[in-house]
Amino acid sequence: MPANQPRIKSTGLHVGEIRPGVPKVDPIIVADNVTRSFGGLKAVDVEHLEIPRGAITALIGPNGAGKTTLFNLLTGFDKPDTGTWEFDGKNLAGIPAFKVSQLGQVRTFQLTKSLALLTVLENMKLGAKNQAGEKFWNGLIPALWRKQEEEIEEKALALLERFKLDTKKDDYAASLSGGQRKLLEMARALMSDPTLVMLDEPMAGVNPALTQSLLDHILGLKDSGMTVLFVEHDMAMVRHIADWVVVMAEGRIVAEGPPDEVMKDLAVIDAYLGSHLDTDLGVVTGRIDVIHEDHLVDDIVEEALQTEAGSTTRPGDDIQEEKVQP
Amino acid sequence: MDWGLILNNTLAWVFMPETIAYAIATLGLAVHFGYGGLLNFGQAGFMALGAYGYAISVLTFGFPWWGGLLVGVVAAVVFALILGLPTLRLRADYLAIATIAAAEVVRLLFQSTIFDDYTNSADGLGGYHESFRSANPFPPGTYGFGPWTWSATDLWVRVFGLILLGLALLVVWLVMRSPWGRVVRGIREDEDAVRALGKNVFAYKMQVLVLGGVLGALGGFVVALPSAVVPAYYLPSLTFFLWTILLLGGAATIFGPVLGSLLYWLIMAFLANVLPALASTGMIPGLNNPSQAGNLRYILVGVALILIVAFRPQGILGNKKEMTFNAR
């Protein structure tokens, strides 16, 4: 990977010794005794969890660890069996999902939910909060909402430009590629000026060329003062952008801490990363020769990128052309 | 065969109150299904409430005609609320089952002898026309030309029906191009996504159910205007005629229901005239009873519905691009 401009990671987020459930200096989410069972399976069993404000927190863990369930609970999309949690000092237990979102805690979904038969611009406009024209009787009188609509459109177009979707604004969201839909969903969430953005596997199914720009966008959220909580499986990415990592396994928080330290944690390696974390996959499967030096890998990647750049199709071009065929 | 008579009888349906009524009721279905994604298979129930609300308030309680109209509308709103509260939290397919059952409950209540004093049970109600006719602004006489020749009363019924249709079209058009309509179409696509954006999805779905239901009641009112109110008219098959009209014209369009209703009734009237004539001249093998030949058209409606859904799911006015992504 070509080295990116390094951004400074937030440190000193926690108070006292690092352990699961460690208090934070300035938490935005505080959850206590949150449990949720499906039949006999305890999907989530979180004793205490605090998410630091103004930082990027990654939630990692093996499949079935309860990450998405915890997401659903925190955002009001699912109801826990027990527990309380607060966002920004406000108790959120029993608050329906749409109100959670209105409070400034906006989420995206693991399986992207773009509104397929609305245009990209309509998708964006839908994200704006407090629209006068969204009340039935006001809707009948365009004079009541036309001005606000123009402001919303301006804001939507600016965001679309930032996410490089502005040329697609009049297309149906259904015609976007998977990666572009991820971008659209993230941009749409930003229309409401949230304080906390929760991204459920933002990189799943996104091609490597787009991953880089998605990463930049996530870092950009932090730059503009938002708190980010995301679920991700890609360890390189987590290490790259997260300021804090929370590890879940079998519904519990098993470890947390700054990324570099968490990845050395034995519990984490046991639960999730596996003993081959630092070994190339080719070595594990025995299908390619052992590559000892890390920079050698870099060289190969670099070379590949350059040959690709020389050919007619650059990485990223395929995004434009990738369309859903009828 | 007298083709001139057949043509005349067919064209008369362009301005028939039923044509106008079905267009209004189907516009309600378009709001429910085409824009809001709610599968309502009980539009006949809303129509029955509009018709009975009008007839009972005039006959039993001595309301003026416009008071009866309002009672029908309020009844539809209440019915939508009762129906929506338990079912709108469920998935769309469960709503479909609940609506068809609820509409049958409404019809059977009107048909049962329990409320005989008010509903006249299976025989239905008639003779409530005086108030509406006394409001007729047109002086007595004959109006129109060609196949469209009406008495002053006929003209008043049609004009009022068209006014209602115009208002309904205007309201749906205005509201669907507003941010409200955007939220509603968003809910059709994915209600969780809209919920995540901070919209009260349940409240919007309820408003959609109420709006479409009120349009259904207005349709029922227009059906009742020139004739009588009979419970057997509001069978589930009525709902499926409306669905045929909706899919014929285009589900997520404003003028689809109007065009659909027009085509539907013209074809029905044409077949109702042509089939018996063909049968009596022995041109339909195995069918020489003219009255049975007329019923053949209902079979053809079913076949037409299947063909539309299979080959042009977006309807005549629907946007083809929309369906490229959705049909399969």
Side-chain angles (χ1 to χ4, degrees):
Chain A
M1 277 263 153
N4 219 32
Q5 200 83 328
R7 300 204 208 198
I8 302 145
K9 294 215 174 195
S10 304
T11 48
L13 298 165
H14 59 286
V15 181
E17 194 193 336
I18 293 184
R19 62 193 151 78
V22 62
K24 305 296 178 319
V25 177
D26 184 12
I28 189 162
I29 283 190
V30 181
D32 280 297
N33 294 316
V34 175
T35 64
R36 176 75 169 100
S37 313
F38 296 112
L41 176 81
K42 210 160 203 180
V44 165
D45 183 6
V46 171
E47 238 169 67
H48 186 80
L49 174 67
E50 295 185 10
I51 306 293
R53 186 192 307 272
I56 299 176
T57 304
L59 186 57
I60 64 170
N63 291 322
K67 305 181 297 290
T68 298
T69 308
L70 180 62
F71 245 58
N72 288 343
L73 293 174
L74 292 179
T75 49
F77 275 84
D78 194 5
K79 286 193 170 51
D81 304 332
T82 65
T84 56
W85 64 104
E86 51 185 52
F87 163 70
D88 228 355
K90 283 181 281 284
N91 184 20
L92 277 195
I95 303 281
F98 76 93
K99 279 196 185 142
V100 172
S101 165
Q102 284 173 359
L103 288 170
Q105 180 188 329
V106 176
R107 72 170 293 181
T108 66
F109 294 87
Q110 184 176 357
L111 300 170
T112 325
K113 291 186 187 293
S114 59
L115 304 166
L117 294 186
L118 266 57
T119 65
V120 168
L121 187 59
E122 281 178 318
N123 261 276
M124 293 294 291
K125 285 175 172 177
L126 198 58
K129 274 202 285 196
N130 301 324
Q131 296 190 45
E134 287 187 350
K135 295 198 168 62
F136 178 80
W137 297 110
N138 290 356
L140 291 173
I141 309 162
L144 290 177
W145 46 265
R146 188 157 282 156
K147 196 166 165 288
Q148 190 187 20
E149 182 82 355
E150 279 163 14
E151 288 163 14
I152 289 169
E153 182 158 340
E154 213 169 288
K155 183 174 172 186
L157 289 174
L159 267 172
L160 282 178
E161 209 177 309
R162 200 171 116 199
F163 282 81
K164 303 220 164 43
L165 287 170
D166 45 338
T167 53
K168 297 261 173 195
K169 71 183 171 74
D170 294 323
D171 294 0
Y172 282 126
S175 72
L176 299 181
S177 72
Q180 286 173 322
R181 286 184 211 187
K182 289 262 175 200
L183 283 173
L184 173 61
E185 203 183 10
M186 200 188 289
R188 189 176 66 193
L190 298 185
M191 280 297 288
S192 65
D193 298 319
T195 44
L196 170 62
V197 184
M198 298 177 62
L199 308 169
D200 197 349
E201 299 202 18
M203 301 299 157
V206 176
N207 77 35
L210 212 51
T211 306
Q212 194 59 37
S213 84
L214 259 168
L215 286 179
D216 275 345
H217 286 307
I218 294 175
L219 288 166
L221 300 183
K222 183 188 164 191
D223 293 342
S224 49
M226 291 171 221
T227 306
V228 180
L229 174 63
F230 71 100
V231 171
E232 190 49 63
H233 282 295
D234 184 337
M235 278 312 114
M237 175 194 156
V238 168
R239 208 188 307 227
H240 184 53
I241 66 167
D243 301 311
W244 191 264
V245 178
V246 176
V247 188
M248 283 184 82
E250 290 164 7
R252 299 165 165 280
I253 310 286
V254 293
E256 55 178 303
D260 290 334
E261 283 166 47
V262 158
M263 305 221 172
K264 288 180 204 140
D265 192 312
L266 266 179
V268 178
I269 294 169
D270 269 2
Y272 185 37
L273 302 171
S275 47
H276 296 302
L277 170 65
D278 284 326
T279 331
D280 191 279
L281 206 61
V283 181
V284 179
T285 55
R287 290 180 73 95
I288 61 164
D289 293 338
V290 178
I291 298 162
H292 292 288
E293 298 296 327
D294 250 351
H295 69 256
L296 198 63
V297 181
D298 285 345
D299 286 349
I300 293 167
V301 172
E302 197 90 331
E303 207 173 288
L305 278 174
Q306 271 163 5
T307 30
E308 258 185 76
S311 65
T312 43
T313 51
R314 286 177 300 280
D317 272 6
D318 55 328
I319 310 158
Q320 308 295 324
E321 277 143 27
E322 210 174 286
K323 273 193 182 159
V324 178
Q325 292 301 321
Chain B
M1 269 196 292
D2 184 353
W3 285 105
L5 183 71
I6 291 172
L7 194 67
N8 240 13
N9 286 346
T10 303
L11 285 178
W13 279 86
V14 172
F15 294 107
M16 226 29 131
E18 270 188 300
T19 311
I20 300 166
Y22 279 40
I24 301 176
T26 308
L27 187 62
L29 268 192
V31 169
H32 284 156
F33 175 70
Y35 291 104
L38 302 179
L39 273 173
N40 172 19
F41 282 115
Q43 193 70 337
F46 285 102
M47 288 181 78
L49 285 168
Y52 271 97
Y54 171 54
I56 292 175
S57 348
V58 171
L59 288 175
T60 308
F61 302 102
F63 281 27
W65 67 272
W66 52 267
L69 172 61
L70 283 182
V71 168
V73 167
V74 170
V77 172
V78 172
F79 181 58
L81 293 176
I82 295 171
L83 184 63
L85 273 177
T87 53
L88 283 185
R89 290 179 202 281
L90 302 174
R91 260 183 15 221
D93 27 8
Y94 290 97
L95 177 74
I97 298 165
T99 50
I100 197 168
E104 276 295 87
V105 169
V106 167
R107 182 180 68 85
L108 291 169
L109 281 178
F110 284 131
Q111 189 176 309
S112 76
T113 49
I114 313 168
F115 309 108
D116 198 37
D117 293 346
Y118 304 101
T119 61
N120 200 18
S121 56
D123 296 333
L125 296 166
Y128 44 74
H129 303 297
E130 200 187 319
S131 170
F132 181 76
R133 284 175 188 174
S134 67
N136 190 348
F138 302 105
T142 309
Y143 296 87
F145 61 93
W148 303 295
T149 324
W150 308 300
S151 69
T153 308
D154 288 346
L155 179 68
W156 173 223
V157 168
R158 283 160 176 79
V159 166
F160 192 78
L162 286 174
I163 291 173
L164 278 184
L165 175 61
L167 283 176
L169 288 170
L170 183 69
V171 165
V172 173
W173 178 72
L174 275 176
V175 88
M176 284 309 166
R177 65 198 280 273
S178 76
W180 186 88
R182 187 164 59 215
V183 177
V184 166
R185 283 181 295 132
I187 291 171
R188 175 190 71 194
E189 297 301 317
D190 192 318
E191 58 176 77
D192 271 345
V194 176
R195 204 171 273 133
L197 295 173
K199 320 289 178 198
N200 188 349
V201 168
F202 180 74
Y204 279 101
K205 282 165 90 173
M206 188 61 100
Q207 289 167 24
V208 167
L209 192 64
V210 168
L211 174 63
V214 165
L215 292 176
L218 291 179
F221 169 79
V222 174
V223 168
L225 267 185
S227 51
V229 182
V230 188
Y233 190 81
Y234 301 96
L235 285 166
S237 54
L238 171 60
T239 301
F240 289 102
F241 296 150
L242 298 180
W243 273 94
T244 309
I245 291 171
L246 179 72
L247 296 171
L248 180 64
T253 60
I254 301 286
F255 287 104
V258 181
L259 180 68
S261 179
L262 208 55
L263 286 178
Y264 173 84
W265 279 113
L266 285 179
I267 293 168
M268 286 297 265
F270 180 73
L271 291 177
N273 283 286
V274 161
L275 289 176
L278 285 179
S280 60
T281 54
M283 288 172 78
I284 304 176
L287 248 184
N288 39 26
N289 181 346
S291 68
Q292 279 197 3
N295 286 336
L296 193 60
R297 62 198 177 131
Y298 293 105
I299 298 172
L300 295 175
V301 168
V303 174
L305 179 58
I306 295 170
L307 291 178
I308 296 166
V309 172
F311 294 109
R312 199 172 166 93
Q314 77 273 26
I316 293 172
L317 295 184
N319 182 346
K320 192 154 189 224
K321 220 163 96 192
E322 260 182 43
M323 278 300 167
T324 11
F325 299 115
N326 218 13
R328 57 199 95 208

